[in-house]
Amino acid sequence: MKQQIIMKLLTGVAGLGIALGAATAHASPESDRQEFIKYYTSKYPNIKLEDYVYGALAFDADGKAQYEAIMEFPPFEGEIEAGRALWETPFKNGKTYADCLPNGGRQIAGNYPMFDDAKGKVVTLEDALNNCRVANGEAPYKISDKNTLGRLTAYMRTLSDGMPMNIKVEGPKATAAYEDGKKTFFSRKGQLNFACASCHVQNAGVRLRSELISPAIGHAVHWPVFRGGENLVTLQNRYTGCFKQVRAVPPAEGSETMNNLEYFHSSLSNGLPMKASVFRK
């Protein structure tokens, strides 16, 4: 049964290069985004673009109703409060994260990841928080540590809830990073020979066993998510899981490959509002 599902997905991916020709060739980030939108809205004309912020729930009215009921009393409020405590705890020098981030850290999360010309690389929101720590004499948190950087990021993104995603790709170095992330997104990998696009573009809205596959547009606005209650999962945690599911060795979280992938992936959601701290199954 599992092999039949995999073969169905692989068959559906055969026309991916044709269906998204502009996105798989060298194109501007905005033309890529518009091509993705055209693809999804043509395939699912009854789904509004703004509903893609709900991920796979955009295809499942019953699931979305259950989600909305859960979000009235989120089971992960304790995790968000733990993140708030980390955010508000002063460094040894008496300063806080709000002192070294633009606008006190409010309404800025949708600008990340961003390309830092001075550093010559993509900087994620987690990087920005760690850079703040280092600038104030503190040791950086581990990128994959959910109890520290994960909680802190989850809380900080609530300070930008509703902000439109606003990823900028300007200049040749930023464009090169974007193109590298796009290459990772469309490159097949692992023993199953899948790309990120195999599931989240061509097969978005298709049911894999009991789960609907989510679309790439709208993905980046709602991470980290809380799965099944209080299990915090960051976007790069999820990338790691996807690599493993196709039986590929994942790059390290926080690596250039992962950061560039997040840069490209996040740009697809430009203009959509941030949906910070959400529940997923």
Side-chain angles (χ1 to χ4, degrees), residues 119-150:
K119 295 179 181 296
K121 64 179 182 179
V122 170
V123 173
T124 64
L125 186 60
E126 289 85 351
D127 290 332
L129 289 165
N130 266 340
N131 290 342
C132 180
R133 291 182 59 79
V134 172
N136 284 281
E138 304 286 336
Y141 288 135
K142 291 183 179 180
I143 292 293
S144 59
D145 190 343
K146 299 178 183 181
N147 291 331
T148 55
L149 194 55

PDB file of all heavy atoms in Angstrom, residues 119-150:
ATOM      1  N   LYS A 119      27.404  40.582   6.472  1.00  0.00           N
ATOM      2  CA  LYS A 119      27.847  39.221   6.770  1.00  0.00           C
ATOM      3  C   LYS A 119      27.976  38.375   5.506  1.00  0.00           C
ATOM      4  O   LYS A 119      28.615  37.323   5.513  1.00  0.00           O
ATOM      5  CB  LYS A 119      26.869  38.545   7.749  1.00  0.00           C
ATOM      6  CG  LYS A 119      26.819  39.202   9.122  1.00  0.00           C
ATOM      7  CD  LYS A 119      25.818  38.490  10.025  1.00  0.00           C
ATOM      8  CE  LYS A 119      25.723  39.152  11.394  1.00  0.00           C
ATOM      9  NZ  LYS A 119      26.987  39.073  12.149  1.00  0.00           N
ATOM     10  N   GLY A 120      27.320  38.823   4.425  1.00  0.00           N
ATOM     11  CA  GLY A 120      27.373  38.089   3.169  1.00  0.00           C
ATOM     12  C   GLY A 120      26.605  36.783   3.195  1.00  0.00           C
ATOM     13  O   GLY A 120      26.955  35.834   2.483  1.00  0.00           O
ATOM     14  N   LYS A 121      25.529  36.725   3.999  1.00  0.00           N
ATOM     15  CA  LYS A 121      24.758  35.486   4.097  1.00  0.00           C
ATOM     16  C   LYS A 121      23.356  35.773   4.591  1.00  0.00           C
ATOM     17  O   LYS A 121      23.045  36.879   5.057  1.00  0.00           O
ATOM     18  CB  LYS A 121      25.444  34.502   5.045  1.00  0.00           C
ATOM     19  CG  LYS A 121      25.526  34.998   6.481  1.00  0.00           C
ATOM     20  CD  LYS A 121      26.211  33.960   7.371  1.00  0.00           C
ATOM     21  CE  LYS A 121      26.256  34.425   8.842  1.00  0.00           C
ATOM     22  NZ  LYS A 121      26.909  33.396   9.706  1.00  0.00           N
ATOM     23  N   VAL A 122      22.514  34.752   4.489  1.00  0.00           N
ATOM     24  CA  VAL A 122      21.143  34.831   4.991  1.00  0.00           C
ATOM     25  C   VAL A 122      21.146  34.739   6.515  1.00  0.00           C
ATOM     26  O   VAL A 122      21.849  33.902   7.098  1.00  0.00           O
ATOM     27  CB  VAL A 122      20.283  33.704   4.390  1.00  0.00           C
ATOM     28  CG1 VAL A 122      18.929  33.608   5.084  1.00  0.00           C
ATOM     29  CG2 VAL A 122      20.105  33.913   2.888  1.00  0.00           C
ATOM     30  N   VAL A 123      20.363  35.597   7.143  1.00  0.00           N
ATOM     31  CA  VAL A 123      20.208  35.595   8.599  1.00  0.00           C
ATOM     32  C   VAL A 123      18.751  35.283   8.915  1.00  0.00           C
ATOM     33  O   VAL A 123      17.838  35.983   8.465  1.00  0.00           O
ATOM     34  CB  VAL A 123      20.589  36.966   9.194  1.00  0.00           C
ATOM     35  CG1 VAL A 123      20.274  37.021  10.681  1.00  0.00           C
ATOM     36  CG2 VAL A 123      22.076  37.244   8.958  1.00  0.00           C
ATOM     37  N   THR A 124      18.523  34.230   9.665  1.00  0.00           N
ATOM     38  CA  THR A 124      17.169  33.862  10.079  1.00  0.00           C
ATOM     39  C   THR A 124      16.795  34.612  11.357  1.00  0.00           C
ATOM     40  O   THR A 124      17.636  35.273  11.977  1.00  0.00           O
ATOM     41  CB  THR A 124      17.060  32.356  10.340  1.00  0.00           C
ATOM     42  OG1 THR A 124      17.908  32.015  11.453  1.00  0.00           O
ATOM     43  CG2 THR A 124      17.497  31.549   9.116  1.00  0.00           C
ATOM     44  N   LEU A 125      15.543  34.504  11.766  1.00  0.00           N
ATOM     45  CA  LEU A 125      15.123  35.136  13.008  1.00  0.00           C
ATOM     46  C   LEU A 125      15.888  34.544  14.191  1.00  0.00           C
ATOM     47  O   LEU A 125      16.281  35.269  15.114  1.00  0.00           O
ATOM     48  CB  LEU A 125      13.617  34.943  13.200  1.00  0.00           C
ATOM     49  CG  LEU A 125      12.994  35.683  14.391  1.00  0.00           C
ATOM     50  CD1 LEU A 125      13.199  37.188  14.264  1.00  0.00           C
ATOM     51  CD2 LEU A 125      11.510  35.357  14.503  1.00  0.00           C
ATOM     52  N   GLU A 126      16.120  33.247  14.157  1.00  0.00           N
ATOM     53  CA  GLU A 126      16.906  32.604  15.216  1.00  0.00           C
ATOM     54  C   GLU A 126      18.324  33.170  15.257  1.00  0.00           C
ATOM     55  O   GLU A 126      18.881  33.407  16.340  1.00  0.00           O
ATOM     56  CB  GLU A 126      16.944  31.090  15.004  1.00  0.00           C
ATOM     57  CG  GLU A 126      15.639  30.375  15.277  1.00  0.00           C
ATOM     58  CD  GLU A 126      14.687  30.364  14.093  1.00  0.00           C
ATOM     59  OE1 GLU A 126      14.965  31.067  13.089  1.00  0.00           O
ATOM     60  OE2 GLU A 126      13.668  29.654  14.164  1.00  0.00           O
ATOM     61  N   ASP A 127      18.898  33.398  14.077  1.00  0.00           N
ATOM     62  CA  ASP A 127      20.233  34.002  14.013  1.00  0.00           C
ATOM     63  C   ASP A 127      20.223  35.398  14.628  1.00  0.00           C
ATOM     64  O   ASP A 127      21.146  35.781  15.358  1.00  0.00           O
ATOM     65  CB  ASP A 127      20.709  34.107  12.562  1.00  0.00           C
ATOM     66  CG  ASP A 127      21.026  32.773  11.926  1.00  0.00           C
ATOM     67  OD1 ASP A 127      21.405  31.840  12.654  1.00  0.00           O
ATOM     68  OD2 ASP A 127      20.899  32.668  10.691  1.00  0.00           O
ATOM     69  N   ALA A 128      19.189  36.180  14.323  1.00  0.00           N
ATOM     70  CA  ALA A 128      19.100  37.542  14.840  1.00  0.00           C
ATOM     71  C   ALA A 128      19.041  37.540  16.366  1.00  0.00           C
ATOM     72  O   ALA A 128      19.666  38.381  17.033  1.00  0.00           O
ATOM     73  CB  ALA A 128      17.878  38.243  14.259  1.00  0.00           C
ATOM     74  N   LEU A 129      18.293  36.592  16.933  1.00  0.00           N
ATOM     75  CA  LEU A 129      18.213  36.491  18.384  1.00  0.00           C
ATOM     76  C   LEU A 129      19.556  36.088  18.980  1.00  0.00           C
ATOM     77  O   LEU A 129      19.995  36.647  19.996  1.00  0.00           O
ATOM     78  CB  LEU A 129      17.132  35.478  18.779  1.00  0.00           C
ATOM     79  CG  LEU A 129      15.695  35.950  18.534  1.00  0.00           C
ATOM     80  CD1 LEU A 129      14.723  34.770  18.588  1.00  0.00           C
ATOM     81  CD2 LEU A 129      15.307  37.013  19.551  1.00  0.00           C
ATOM     82  N   ASN A 130      20.228  35.130  18.336  1.00  0.00           N
ATOM     83  CA  ASN A 130      21.541  34.729  18.832  1.00  0.00           C
ATOM     84  C   ASN A 130      22.571  35.836  18.656  1.00  0.00           C
ATOM     85  O   ASN A 130      23.445  36.028  19.509  1.00  0.00           O
ATOM     86  CB  ASN A 130      22.011  33.459  18.114  1.00  0.00           C
ATOM     87  CG  ASN A 130      21.666  32.193  18.885  1.00  0.00           C
ATOM     88  OD1 ASN A 130      21.423  32.241  20.088  1.00  0.00           O
ATOM     89  ND2 ASN A 130      21.652  31.067  18.196  1.00  0.00           N
ATOM     90  N   ASN A 131      22.484  36.575  17.553  1.00  0.00           N
ATOM     91  CA  ASN A 131      23.402  37.700  17.359  1.00  0.00           C
ATOM     92  C   ASN A 131      23.217  38.738  18.455  1.00  0.00           C
ATOM     93  O   ASN A 131      24.181  39.356  18.928  1.00  0.00           O
ATOM     94  CB  ASN A 131      23.163  38.344  15.988  1.00  0.00           C
ATOM     95  CG  ASN A 131      23.617  37.464  14.834  1.00  0.00           C
ATOM     96  OD1 ASN A 131      24.409  36.535  15.024  1.00  0.00           O
ATOM     97  ND2 ASN A 131      23.124  37.739  13.646  1.00  0.00           N
ATOM     98  N   CYS A 132      21.973  38.937  18.869  1.00  0.00           N
ATOM     99  CA  CYS A 132      21.674  39.853  19.960  1.00  0.00           C
ATOM    100  C   CYS A 132      22.304  39.366  21.256  1.00  0.00           C
ATOM    101  O   CYS A 132      22.887  40.154  22.015  1.00  0.00           O
ATOM    102  CB  CYS A 132      20.163  39.990  20.112  1.00  0.00           C
ATOM    103  SG  CYS A 132      19.625  41.097  21.443  1.00  0.00           S
ATOM    104  N   ARG A 133      22.204  38.084  21.496  1.00  0.00           N
ATOM    105  CA  ARG A 133      22.806  37.510  22.699  1.00  0.00           C
ATOM    106  C   ARG A 133      24.324  37.734  22.707  1.00  0.00           C
ATOM    107  O   ARG A 133      24.883  38.195  23.700  1.00  0.00           O
ATOM    108  CB  ARG A 133      22.501  36.014  22.793  1.00  0.00           C
ATOM    109  CG  ARG A 133      21.042  35.683  23.080  1.00  0.00           C
ATOM    110  CD  ARG A 133      20.825  34.169  23.211  1.00  0.00           C
ATOM    111  NE  ARG A 133      21.636  33.616  24.284  1.00  0.00           N
ATOM    112  CZ  ARG A 133      21.326  33.690  25.571  1.00  0.00           C
ATOM    113  NH1 ARG A 133      20.220  34.323  25.954  1.00  0.00           N
ATOM    114  NH2 ARG A 133      22.118  33.156  26.485  1.00  0.00           N
ATOM    115  N   VAL A 134      24.965  37.409  21.605  1.00  0.00           N
ATOM    116  CA  VAL A 134      26.423  37.533  21.519  1.00  0.00           C
ATOM    117  C   VAL A 134      26.856  38.988  21.677  1.00  0.00           C
ATOM    118  O   VAL A 134      27.838  39.295  22.367  1.00  0.00           O
ATOM    119  CB  VAL A 134      26.928  36.952  20.184  1.00  0.00           C
ATOM    120  CG1 VAL A 134      28.408  37.254  19.984  1.00  0.00           C
ATOM    121  CG2 VAL A 134      26.692  35.444  20.138  1.00  0.00           C
ATOM    122  N   ALA A 135      26.114  39.901  21.056  1.00  0.00           N
ATOM    123  CA  ALA A 135      26.438  41.328  21.148  1.00  0.00           C
ATOM    124  C   ALA A 135      26.346  41.838  22.578  1.00  0.00           C
ATOM    125  O   ALA A 135      26.965  42.851  22.922  1.00  0.00           O
ATOM    126  CB  ALA A 135      25.508  42.129  20.244  1.00  0.00           C
ATOM    127  N   ASN A 136      25.596  41.132  23.413  1.00  0.00           N
ATOM    128  CA  ASN A 136      25.432  41.535  24.809  1.00  0.00           C
ATOM    129  C   ASN A 136      26.188  40.628  25.776  1.00  0.00           C
ATOM    130  O   ASN A 136      25.878  40.579  26.970  1.00  0.00           O
ATOM    131  CB  ASN A 136      23.946  41.578  25.164  1.00  0.00           C
ATOM    132  CG  ASN A 136      23.259  42.801  24.596  1.00  0.00           C
ATOM    133  OD1 ASN A 136      23.357  43.889  25.137  1.00  0.00           O
ATOM    134  ND2 ASN A 136      22.584  42.622  23.467  1.00  0.00           N
ATOM    135  N   GLY A 137      27.168  39.918  25.239  1.00  0.00           N
ATOM    136  CA  GLY A 137      28.057  39.122  26.086  1.00  0.00           C
ATOM    137  C   GLY A 137      27.522  37.784  26.528  1.00  0.00           C
ATOM    138  O   GLY A 137      28.079  37.155  27.442  1.00  0.00           O
ATOM    139  N   GLU A 138      26.456  37.311  25.879  1.00  0.00           N
ATOM    140  CA  GLU A 138      25.869  36.019  26.227  1.00  0.00           C
ATOM    141  C   GLU A 138      26.244  34.962  25.194  1.00  0.00           C
ATOM    142  O   GLU A 138      26.498  35.283  24.021  1.00  0.00           O
ATOM    143  CB  GLU A 138      24.338  36.128  26.297  1.00  0.00           C
ATOM    144  CG  GLU A 138      23.824  37.195  27.246  1.00  0.00           C
ATOM    145  CD  GLU A 138      23.974  36.811  28.703  1.00  0.00           C
ATOM    146  OE1 GLU A 138      24.036  35.604  29.001  1.00  0.00           O
ATOM    147  OE2 GLU A 138      24.011  37.728  29.544  1.00  0.00           O
ATOM    148  N   ALA A 139      26.256  33.716  25.616  1.00  0.00           N
ATOM    149  CA  ALA A 139      26.534  32.620  24.684  1.00  0.00           C
ATOM    150  C   ALA A 139      25.306  32.383  23.804  1.00  0.00           C
ATOM    151  O   ALA A 139      24.174  32.509  24.273  1.00  0.00           O
ATOM    152  CB  ALA A 139      26.871  31.346  25.449  1.00  0.00           C
ATOM    153  N   PRO A 140      25.503  32.054  22.530  1.00  0.00           N
ATOM    154  CA  PRO A 140      24.350  31.773  21.665  1.00  0.00           C
ATOM    155  C   PRO A 140      23.679  30.475  22.068  1.00  0.00           C
ATOM    156  O   PRO A 140      24.322  29.561  22.590  1.00  0.00           O
ATOM    157  CB  PRO A 140      24.975  31.670  20.272  1.00  0.00           C
ATOM    158  CG  PRO A 140      26.386  31.233  20.527  1.00  0.00           C
ATOM    159  CD  PRO A 140      26.786  31.895  21.813  1.00  0.00           C
ATOM    160  N   TYR A 141      22.386  30.389  21.811  1.00  0.00           N
ATOM    161  CA  TYR A 141      21.673  29.141  22.025  1.00  0.00           C
ATOM    162  C   TYR A 141      21.926  28.211  20.838  1.00  0.00           C
ATOM    163  O   TYR A 141      22.211  28.671  19.730  1.00  0.00           O
ATOM    164  CB  TYR A 141      20.162  29.396  22.123  1.00  0.00           C
ATOM    165  CG  TYR A 141      19.703  30.073  23.383  1.00  0.00           C
ATOM    166  CD1 TYR A 141      18.784  31.121  23.337  1.00  0.00           C
ATOM    167  CD2 TYR A 141      20.146  29.654  24.636  1.00  0.00           C
ATOM    168  CE1 TYR A 141      18.316  31.735  24.493  1.00  0.00           C
ATOM    169  CE2 TYR A 141      19.693  30.260  25.798  1.00  0.00           C
ATOM    170  CZ  TYR A 141      18.782  31.304  25.720  1.00  0.00           C
ATOM    171  OH  TYR A 141      18.336  31.903  26.866  1.00  0.00           O
ATOM    172  N   LYS A 142      21.779  26.922  21.078  1.00  0.00           N
ATOM    173  CA  LYS A 142      21.859  25.962  19.968  1.00  0.00           C
ATOM    174  C   LYS A 142      20.634  26.120  19.079  1.00  0.00           C
ATOM    175  O   LYS A 142      19.518  26.261  19.568  1.00  0.00           O
ATOM    176  CB  LYS A 142      21.931  24.531  20.505  1.00  0.00           C
ATOM    177  CG  LYS A 142      23.239  24.204  21.220  1.00  0.00           C
ATOM    178  CD  LYS A 142      23.278  22.740  21.658  1.00  0.00           C
ATOM    179  CE  LYS A 142      24.606  22.415  22.347  1.00  0.00           C
ATOM    180  NZ  LYS A 142      24.657  20.996  22.783  1.00  0.00           N
ATOM    181  N   ILE A 143      20.857  26.115  17.778  1.00  0.00           N
ATOM    182  CA  ILE A 143      19.771  26.336  16.818  1.00  0.00           C
ATOM    183  C   ILE A 143      18.635  25.338  17.014  1.00  0.00           C
ATOM    184  O   ILE A 143      17.454  25.687  16.876  1.00  0.00           O
ATOM    185  CB  ILE A 143      20.303  26.255  15.372  1.00  0.00           C
ATOM    186  CG1 ILE A 143      21.239  27.436  15.079  1.00  0.00           C
ATOM    187  CG2 ILE A 143      19.160  26.216  14.369  1.00  0.00           C
ATOM    188  CD1 ILE A 143      20.563  28.789  15.052  1.00  0.00           C
ATOM    189  N   SER A 144      18.982  24.111  17.347  1.00  0.00           N
ATOM    190  CA  SER A 144      17.957  23.063  17.450  1.00  0.00           C
ATOM    191  C   SER A 144      17.363  22.927  18.853  1.00  0.00           C
ATOM    192  O   SER A 144      16.542  22.031  19.090  1.00  0.00           O
ATOM    193  CB  SER A 144      18.554  21.714  17.026  1.00  0.00           C
ATOM    194  OG  SER A 144      19.667  21.376  17.847  1.00  0.00           O
ATOM    195  N   ASP A 145      17.736  23.814  19.795  1.00  0.00           N
ATOM    196  CA  ASP A 145      17.251  23.700  21.171  1.00  0.00           C
ATOM    197  C   ASP A 145      15.854  24.306  21.287  1.00  0.00           C
ATOM    198  O   ASP A 145      15.674  25.519  21.318  1.00  0.00           O
ATOM    199  CB  ASP A 145      18.215  24.404  22.123  1.00  0.00           C
ATOM    200  CG  ASP A 145      17.892  24.118  23.597  1.00  0.00           C
ATOM    201  OD1 ASP A 145      16.764  23.663  23.883  1.00  0.00           O
ATOM    202  OD2 ASP A 145      18.762  24.351  24.453  1.00  0.00           O
ATOM    203  N   LYS A 146      14.854  23.455  21.367  1.00  0.00           N
ATOM    204  CA  LYS A 146      13.464  23.909  21.413  1.00  0.00           C
ATOM    205  C   LYS A 146      13.129  24.615  22.722  1.00  0.00           C
ATOM    206  O   LYS A 146      12.284  25.505  22.750  1.00  0.00           O
ATOM    207  CB  LYS A 146      12.520  22.727  21.203  1.00  0.00           C
ATOM    208  CG  LYS A 146      12.683  22.022  19.874  1.00  0.00           C
ATOM    209  CD  LYS A 146      11.733  20.835  19.767  1.00  0.00           C
ATOM    210  CE  LYS A 146      11.940  20.070  18.485  1.00  0.00           C
ATOM    211  NZ  LYS A 146      11.002  18.919  18.371  1.00  0.00           N
ATOM    212  N   ASN A 147      13.774  24.210  23.810  1.00  0.00           N
ATOM    213  CA  ASN A 147      13.438  24.766  25.114  1.00  0.00           C
ATOM    214  C   ASN A 147      13.956  26.189  25.316  1.00  0.00           C
ATOM    215  O   ASN A 147      13.484  26.897  26.203  1.00  0.00           O
ATOM    216  CB  ASN A 147      13.962  23.870  26.232  1.00  0.00           C
ATOM    217  CG  ASN A 147      13.213  22.548  26.310  1.00  0.00           C
ATOM    218  OD1 ASN A 147      12.040  22.474  25.954  1.00  0.00           O
ATOM    219  ND2 ASN A 147      13.892  21.506  26.750  1.00  0.00           N
ATOM    220  N   THR A 148      14.932  26.588  24.520  1.00  0.00           N
ATOM    221  CA  THR A 148      15.458  27.947  24.639  1.00  0.00           C
ATOM    222  C   THR A 148      15.138  28.746  23.380  1.00  0.00           C
ATOM    223  O   THR A 148      14.181  29.521  23.352  1.00  0.00           O
ATOM    224  CB  THR A 148      16.977  27.924  24.907  1.00  0.00           C
ATOM    225  OG1 THR A 148      17.650  27.156  23.886  1.00  0.00           O
ATOM    226  CG2 THR A 148      17.273  27.337  26.268  1.00  0.00           C
ATOM    227  N   LEU A 149      15.884  28.522  22.319  1.00  0.00           N
ATOM    228  CA  LEU A 149      15.698  29.304  21.105  1.00  0.00           C
ATOM    229  C   LEU A 149      14.342  29.037  20.464  1.00  0.00           C
ATOM    230  O   LEU A 149      13.724  29.946  19.899  1.00  0.00           O
ATOM    231  CB  LEU A 149      16.827  29.002  20.113  1.00  0.00           C
ATOM    232  CG  LEU A 149      16.978  29.963  18.934  1.00  0.00           C
ATOM    233  CD1 LEU A 149      17.129  31.402  19.413  1.00  0.00           C
ATOM    234  CD2 LEU A 149      18.171  29.578  18.068  1.00  0.00           C
ATOM    235  N   GLY A 150      13.854  27.813  20.560  1.00  0.00           N
ATOM    236  CA  GLY A 150      12.543  27.486  20.003  1.00  0.00           C
ATOM    237  C   GLY A 150      11.437  28.275  20.686  1.00  0.00           C
ATOM    238  O   GLY A 150      10.605  28.915  20.037  1.00  0.00           O
TER     239      GLY A 150
END
